[in-house]
Amino acid sequence: MIKIYHNPRCQKSREGLKVLENSGKEFEVVKYLEEVPTKEELRKVLDCLAITPEMLVRKNEAVWKENYRGKLLSHEEILDAMILYPKLIERPIVINGGKAVIGRPANLVEDIL
């Protein structure tokens, strides 16, 4: 089943959701600010994306700049930060099978459908 980690307040995330809606395929919406992923779920997302935790962080968020920027953090510490402050997680993330994309721009979502 296709899954989208979605933030309804984010325009880019809404655009990614629209691509899924227009595809006619079934999918699951995870509002990750309300249903914060576990560390294990984040690890699986990172595996599907084939990126490091730091590459999934929204580094322009104030909470990142105020608390983490410039610090040498382990992957575990970055995962902990994303769980503590889920708005740090890039969005939208769309997973289909063992593959995933960060849907920025939204047309990247089409690549894994």
Side-chain angles (χ1 to χ4, degrees):
M1 161 94 50
I2 298 169
K3 182 184 288 189
I4 180 171
Y5 287 87
H6 175 59
N7 177 353
R9 297 184 65 191
C10 171
Q11 180 171 338
K12 298 293 184 189
S13 195
R14 290 191 306 267
E15 290 170 3
L17 181 63
K18 186 64 116 179
V19 170
L20 287 176
E21 290 170 344
N22 291 339
S23 76
K25 297 183 183 221
E26 288 188 34
F27 61 92
E28 173 187 0
V29 176
V30 177
K31 294 180 181 175
Y32 69 92
L33 295 179
E34 298 169 14
E35 304 170 47
V36 179
T38 65
K39 195 179 278 193
E40 188 56 36
E41 287 172 317
L42 283 176
R43 284 190 187 106
K44 288 178 183 177
V45 168
L46 291 166
D47 285 345
C48 290
L49 288 166
I51 63 173
T52 65
E54 187 173 11
M55 296 167 76
L56 191 59
V57 171
R58 296 174 51 82
K59 294 178 187 73
N60 286 327
E61 290 288 338
V63 70
W64 180 263
K65 291 177 180 177
E66 293 166 7
N67 298 299
Y68 302 102
R69 183 173 61 189
K71 294 182 179 178
L72 185 59
L73 301 170
S74 70
H75 287 183
E76 293 301 308
E77 290 169 321
I78 295 170
L79 290 170
D80 290 338
M82 287 190 279
I83 292 167
L84 187 59
Y85 303 105
K87 70 179 181 177
L88 290 176
I89 301 170
E90 269 295 359
R91 59 196 179 241
I93 301 165
V94 179
I95 300 173
N96 188 5
K99 296 184 179 182
V101 295
I102 298 171
R104 301 175 75 90
N107 66 322
L108 292 177
V109 174
E110 297 169 359
D111 293 345
I112 65 166
L113 296 180

